[in-house]
Amino acid sequence: MPRLVLFCHSLRSDWNHGNAHFLRGILGEARRRGFAVTGFEPALGWSARKLARDHGEAALDAWSAVYPELPVVVYDPARLDLDRALAGVDLVLVHEWNGPDLVARLAAHRRAGGRYLLLFHDTHHRMASDPAAIGRFDLDGFDGVLAFGAILREAYLRRGWGRQVFTWHEAADLHVFRPMPEVPRQHDLVWIGNWGDEERSAELGEFLIEPVRGEGLAARVHGVRYPPAAQRALAAAGIEFAGYLANFRVPLAFAAARMTVHVPRRPYARILPGIPTIRVFEALACGIPLISAPWQDSEGLFRPGEDFLFAADGEAMRRHLRALRGDPEGAAVLAASGRARVEARHSCAHRFDELLTIAAALGRDLRSLPPEAAG
């Protein structure tokens, strides 16, 4: 039975930690394919600490009801025994939101004779916006880099970091993200996302708050790190602020709304074209009509105008919102097209197939185990 190990910031917590979404889905898919999987996350990680602080220790176990067979080792970085953790392992994924010390230890372990394939997984804009931050990672010893967009892959290649660099987009876990037509609609619009870091404050005003106010929509927002000024702005627009929502409960929130919007963070829209982030995949997988603020789909992941709508500015967003609210049949066609696109190209099953192809290209063919061997 092939063995896969993942080192990440957290699987238990998605508090301001969107990387947990895709990583849970990939481990779940690996488990269904017959892989033995283990996730490693450091004790006292900030996401888990803040989730427990705000919602209690039980919140750290809630995800296991949705992913019941994904073991997680919560380790003390000072006591982590890599020989034991990696014994008999075939594939090791190391997400970029780990500390440089751990990355260096894993690179050295691989160089010293580790018999597994070691891949660095980057899902952030830092390579383009702050390359010195990625430069602190020792990638000598890694077999390859998984970059979540072609533009990010090119940035790695230009700097010569990593032996092999592959484009590996995020995707939706269709076992979790799906339409729920039986849920009654309670809102015109729901938006799910975090405020933090001032990377899209102006954009949220233009593409979410003001259009909702102007159209008089019944809207709800879920997320964390909303400062008092942001919460006041939502309230002034008549938008309900509902705080943190565990990601595996997002499908229910989408099902209770007629439409949603996507507002990318500024670094992704400006310096990483072609990368929509996972929110787009998950929304479309849930079969909800989506209107997006501008980003460049340079890799042709979707069919703008068929799978979702682009709004060039706040006024265009208002027009689209008005049109979708007034045309339920047209909204349903848009939603069905988006769902079909994800089913055809952008599920965690697709990405796991891509991962196996990458592993084979790097000399480790793990594709011989049939899917039905999974327990």
Side-chain angles (χ1 to χ4, degrees):
M1 176 184 291
R3 293 190 61 199
L4 186 158
V5 162
L6 165 72
F7 288 90
C8 64
H9 175 70
S10 185
L11 284 170
R12 298 177 301 156
S13 174
D14 54 28
W15 192 100
N16 199 52
H17 176 51
N19 303 125
H21 309 186
F22 178 59
L23 298 176
R24 291 167 176 171
I26 285 296
L27 286 191
E29 187 62 31
R31 177 71 181 76
R32 284 185 289 273
R33 302 289 185 94
F35 279 62
V37 301
T38 306
F40 283 81
E41 68 171 81
L44 304 178
W46 55 260
S47 180
R49 283 190 289 109
K50 292 183 177 180
L51 179 60
R53 176 200 66 190
D54 291 353
H55 300 279
E57 291 289 336
L60 292 175
D61 296 326
W63 78 290
S64 62
V66 181
Y67 299 94
E69 297 181 338
L70 298 185
V72 176
V73 175
V74 181
Y75 67 92
D76 177 351
R79 302 177 64 182
L80 178 63
D81 183 343
L82 288 183
D83 287 337
R84 181 177 180 181
L86 300 177
V89 170
D90 298 286
L91 177 60
V92 181
L93 302 181
V94 184
H95 189 260
E96 52 87 19
W97 212 257
N98 282 290
D101 290 347
L102 174 65
V103 173
R105 286 188 62 192
L106 287 163
H109 193 273
R110 176 72 172 95
R111 289 195 302 268
R115 300 177 63 84
Y116 46 84
L117 199 64
L118 182 63
L119 300 177
F120 187 73
H121 180 211
D122 194 344
T123 59
H124 200 270
H125 59 69
R126 288 185 296 172
M127 170 57 81
S129 63
D130 184 14
I134 298 295
R136 291 194 290 269
F137 290 118
D138 175 12
L139 300 183
D140 182 21
F142 279 73
D143 296 285
V145 173
L146 305 173
F148 80 142
I151 191 74
L152 193 64
R153 174 180 179 271
E154 292 164 6
Y156 271 95
L157 292 174
R158 284 196 303 271
R159 291 175 173 85
W161 291 344
R163 297 179 186 174
Q164 299 268 9
V165 190
F166 303 88
T167 300
W168 198 48
H169 281 282
E170 295 178 308
D173 181 356
L174 298 187
H175 290 81
V176 176
F177 293 88
R178 61 190 187 278
M180 296 181 174
E182 70 278 9
V183 175
R185 303 285 176 82
Q186 300 176 14
H187 314 285
D188 292 316
L189 181 145
V190 64
W191 188 73
I192 300 169
N194 305 322
W195 185 276
D197 301 327
E198 298 300 319
E199 288 183 342
R200 56 180 168 197
S201 302
E203 291 84 351
L204 287 171
E206 179 180 4
F207 290 97
L208 174 65
I209 296 173
E210 290 306 316
V212 166
R213 182 208 306 267
E215 294 302 310
L217 301 180
R220 170 181 283 183
V221 164
H222 288 278
V224 300
R225 300 181 68 195
Y226 281 71
Q231 294 188 39
R232 289 193 296 270
L234 293 174
I239 299 172
E240 176 190 0
F241 176 59
Y244 170 76
L245 180 69
N247 190 56
F248 48 83
R249 297 191 176 109
V250 163
L252 186 61
F254 279 146
R258 293 177 177 82
M259 51 192 162
T260 190
V261 299
H262 175 57
V263 184
R265 294 176 184 268
R266 202 171 305 126
Y268 295 110
R270 293 185 179 180
I271 63 177
L272 290 179
I275 299 177
T277 76
I278 198 167
R279 297 288 187 185
V280 172
F281 297 112
E282 291 178 343
L284 296 183
C286 289
I288 186 171
L290 172 70
I291 310 169
S292 178
W295 60 277
Q296 184 181 349
D297 187 7
S298 58
E299 297 183 54
L301 299 175
F302 301 103
R303 299 161 296 188
E306 296 181 45
D307 302 327
F308 67 89
L309 303 176
F310 267 128
D313 52 31
E315 183 55 38
M317 179 63 77
R318 283 191 62 171
R319 290 196 300 270
H320 284 318
L321 292 171
R322 189 183 315 133
L324 288 180
R325 184 170 61 168
D327 182 10
E329 291 184 0
V333 169
L334 183 72
S337 179
R339 168 72 186 185
R341 186 68 165 183
V342 172
E343 287 179 327
R345 297 182 57 176
H346 303 306
S347 70
C348 285
H350 291 105
R351 297 299 182 262
F352 193 73
D353 285 338
E354 293 168 7
L355 179 61
L356 294 180
T357 299
I358 290 168
L362 293 172
R364 186 63 61 92
D365 195 342
L366 305 173
R367 296 173 294 188
S368 58
L369 184 68
E372 59 268 20

